[in-house]
Amino acid sequence: MNQEIWQRTEWFREARFGMFIHWGLYAIPARGEWVRSHEELSIQDYEPYFHQFDPVDYNPREWIRLAKAAGMKYAVMTAKHHDGFCLFDSAYSDYKCTNTRAGRDLVREFVDACHEEGIRAGLYFSIIDWHHPDYPKYGDLFHPMRNNEAFKDEKIDFDRYLDFMHNQVRELVTNYGTLDILWFDFAYGEMTGEKWRATELINMVRQHQPQVIIDNRLEGNGDKHGSILTLEPSVYSGDFVSPEQLLPPSGVLDVAGNPVPWELCATMNNHWGYCNFDHEYKSAKMIVRKLVECVSKGGNLIMNVGPDARGNIPKESVAILQEIGRWMQLNGESVYGCGVSSLPKPEWGRYTQRGDTIYAHVYEPPLGALPLTGIAPDQLESVLYVADGSQVRPGYGWNTALYKDVSFVSFGQDPVFTYPLPDPVDTVLRIQLKKGLGGDE
């Protein structure tokens, strides 16, 4: 693994959990952030939303405090999505929030809130733009006008578009103070790498924000991660891999078998942008367990919220995040700074690990005593509940005598009997191995 990338992402791999925020004009039609493309809406069809945009309840400090309460350590907001509408005061476009009823720079307020609340600040920026006149239209894979014959012979100047796009990125990395994450989206088909003058773009970003970490989507896309997995990554390969809506079955490794920083991005319901009919929300229990799975495979989870047109995070998302926060407040040490365990995955849940300390995430009550898979009794120093620091009872009984090479614990008084778990979401045990018997990530 490239050492420069590994060092730059140290805080990111410690943080493990973040908030994604997809928000823009598409919150008004409330049918998801791809509504222009999916419904092949023209600029004129979409224009009313620009004039209606009036987020009277927008208060990013409330968003960031919710993220903090949920145990999230960083937040990333869409400065500009594919529709081209800017939530920042770009000097290169009139298609921006300062020209709406909002009348102010919404990105500035978000980044300032992150800085003031002690949350790492990130901005998402779409390198494609369905509003710009010099972006390819007819025949493009995704442009709303891809099937409109009126654009079949249109002459565009793509270099002029790239100048515009680079200038907007320069604004973001020079006008808003320290940025911790720059989340580009997205390469596709032939539109990848140097098609975006990617080396020039990243060199400019690094000149102004050398510490910022960048995703892999200038080069990677849905069917490839890009050169970040090679021994010689490109300048624009990014600092972390960004799987979407699917957990990598066994984490992410480079061609030499070394771990690569990665982050699963996922939605709380089935849309990124606000969708007023989508109430298919994932439970807090599921999200906690998927976060733990990411960590157990050496990765992060960034969980999305899609605020409505007024600037409010949906009440369902708020309730779920608050529930996650209650679990994280008690058990966060088993997530932050943890990673892949040296032990095999147990059948009853997962292990995460930091140095010689192993965290057992127990998802289902055992029938009788719980076997601590991969840990022999002579390796065991102590087992405590993370939530309250109390001792977990040893689980040795007459029926464990045949398995002298396995450590057992019990959730009740008699290890022969079955007891409910103290926390049905995820009961976390802190397992301390005798010095020198653990293993680092």
Side-chain angles (χ1 to χ4, degrees):
M1 180 66 216
N2 181 284
Q3 286 305 305
E4 184 179 349
I5 292 175
W6 200 249
Q7 291 167 8
R8 193 157 49 223
T9 58
E10 182 178 3
W11 73 261
F12 180 72
R13 291 179 288 107
E14 171 73 27
R16 289 305 188 204
F17 193 27
M19 175 182 278
F20 223 159
I21 303 163
H22 277 66
W23 189 50
L25 297 184
Y26 42 81
I28 300 173
R31 300 190 294 276
E33 74 294 343
W34 275 72
V35 62
R36 260 207 75 192
S37 178
H38 291 335
E39 300 180 15
E40 300 188 22
L41 303 177
S42 68
I43 286 178
Q44 291 73 27
D45 294 332
Y46 202 63
E47 187 68 12
Y49 307 131
F50 179 81
H51 298 292
Q52 293 166 17
F53 189 68
D54 187 19
V56 293
D57 295 334
Y58 176 62
N59 184 347
R61 192 178 301 276
E62 289 183 356
W63 296 359
I64 298 307
R65 287 176 175 169
L66 176 63
K68 284 180 68 173
M72 295 162 159
K73 298 295 188 181
Y74 58 98
V76 178
M77 186 172 81
T78 50
K80 187 188 81 168
H81 207 268
H82 312 329
D83 61 2
F85 177 69
C86 299
L87 292 177
F88 62 104
D89 187 18
S90 174
Y92 299 94
S93 175
D94 293 329
Y95 199 52
K96 56 186 178 179
C97 57
T98 47
N99 288 341
T100 68
R101 296 178 188 177
R104 62 196 200 274
D105 190 323
L106 303 176
V107 160
R108 183 170 304 284
E109 293 181 23
F110 167 78
V111 175
D112 287 349
C114 288
H115 291 162
E116 291 163 13
E117 293 293 332
I119 286 281
R120 298 273 187 167
L123 294 177
Y124 166 111
F125 181 86
S126 173
I127 55 178
I128 71 179
D129 190 320
W130 299 329
H131 189 265
H132 197 280
D134 287 308
Y135 197 84
K137 302 172 190 63
Y138 185 80
D140 182 73
L141 290 176
F142 302 112
H143 197 284
M145 298 295 99
R146 59 190 175 274
N147 296 313
N148 190 326
E149 294 280 343
F151 294 92
K152 187 172 184 178
D153 298 316
E154 182 189 41
K155 297 292 187 282
I156 64 169
D157 184 343
F158 191 62
D159 277 329
R160 185 162 56 193
Y161 168 70
L162 291 178
D163 289 342
F164 162 82
M165 187 264 281
H166 283 224
N167 282 333
Q168 286 199 321
V169 174
R170 182 178 290 105
E171 289 180 310
L172 294 178
V173 298
T174 57
N175 292 344
Y176 297 91
T178 299
L179 297 179
D180 298 290
I181 299 178
L182 195 54
W183 221 103
F184 288 117
D185 203 21
F186 66 102
Y188 63 96
E190 298 300 316
M191 309 288 279
T192 185
E194 290 298 359
K195 182 73 174 180
W196 307 105
R197 301 199 322 234
T199 297
E200 175 190 339
L201 180 66
I202 294 303
N203 285 339
M204 178 270 290
V205 169
R206 293 275 178 232
Q207 177 187 352
H208 297 291
Q209 301 264 359
Q211 80 299 326
V212 73
I213 65 171
I214 302 170
D215 69 320
N216 67 323
R217 293 197 179 188
L218 285 173
E219 183 179 40
N221 54 32
D223 60 5
K224 62 182 179 181
H225 291 315
S227 64
I228 189 173
L229 299 191
T230 71
L231 299 182
E232 296 184 0
S234 67
V235 170
Y236 48 83
S237 68
D239 299 305
F240 64 94
V241 170
S242 56
E244 181 172 334
Q245 303 283 54
L246 181 69
L247 249 159
S250 55
V252 181
L253 304 175
D254 67 15
V255 293
N258 300 310
V260 172
W262 62 272
E263 172 193 71
L264 171 67
C265 57
T267 53
M268 296 193 78
N269 54 7
N270 289 323
H271 288 80
W272 295 96
Y274 181 66
C275 185
N276 58 12
F277 57 83
D278 182 359
H279 302 288
E280 298 294 326
Y281 282 87
K282 300 169 181 67
S283 68
K285 176 179 178 179
M286 179 183 186
I287 294 171
V288 164
R289 292 185 177 187
K290 293 308 175 186
L291 169 61
V292 169
E293 183 176 349
C294 288
V295 175
S296 76
K297 295 176 177 179
N300 288 27
L301 173 64
I302 187 167
M303 205 72 206
N304 183 72
V305 294
D308 65 23
R310 293 175 63 93
N312 295 305
I313 293 175
K315 62 182 186 302
E316 296 97 332
S317 293
V318 172
I320 292 165
L321 289 170
Q322 288 172 339
E323 190 175 343
I324 293 169
R326 287 189 285 271
W327 185 90
M328 288 292 286
Q329 187 174 18
L330 296 175
N331 300 288
E333 71 170 77
S334 67
V335 170
Y336 305 128
C338 293
V340 180
S341 175
S342 58
L343 302 179
K345 180 190 176 302
E347 293 184 358
W348 38 256
R350 293 191 174 271
Y351 285 130
T352 58
Q353 186 164 344
R354 187 194 305 110
D356 287 347
T357 302
I358 294 168
Y359 296 95
H361 297 262
V362 187
Y363 296 163
E364 60 182 51
L367 197 160
L370 180 81
L372 298 179
T373 308
I375 302 175
D378 61 359
Q379 295 177 295
L380 201 57
E381 185 74 37
S382 63
V383 185
L384 303 175
Y385 289 106
V386 171
D388 64 8
S390 63
Q391 183 182 22
V392 183
R393 287 175 177 267
Y396 304 103
W398 63 265
N399 58 349
T400 65
L402 287 172
Y403 311 103
K404 298 187 184 300
D405 59 343
V406 179
S407 296
F408 289 88
V409 293
S410 175
F411 295 111
Q413 187 167 359
D414 189 331
V416 175
F417 299 142
T418 297
Y419 301 91
L421 293 175
D423 187 338
V425 171
D426 177 1
T427 295
V428 188
L429 314 180
R430 183 194 302 117
I431 302 170
Q432 196 65 51
L433 300 182
K434 291 179 180 177
K435 192 172 177 61
L437 293 178
D440 293 326
E441 178 187 342

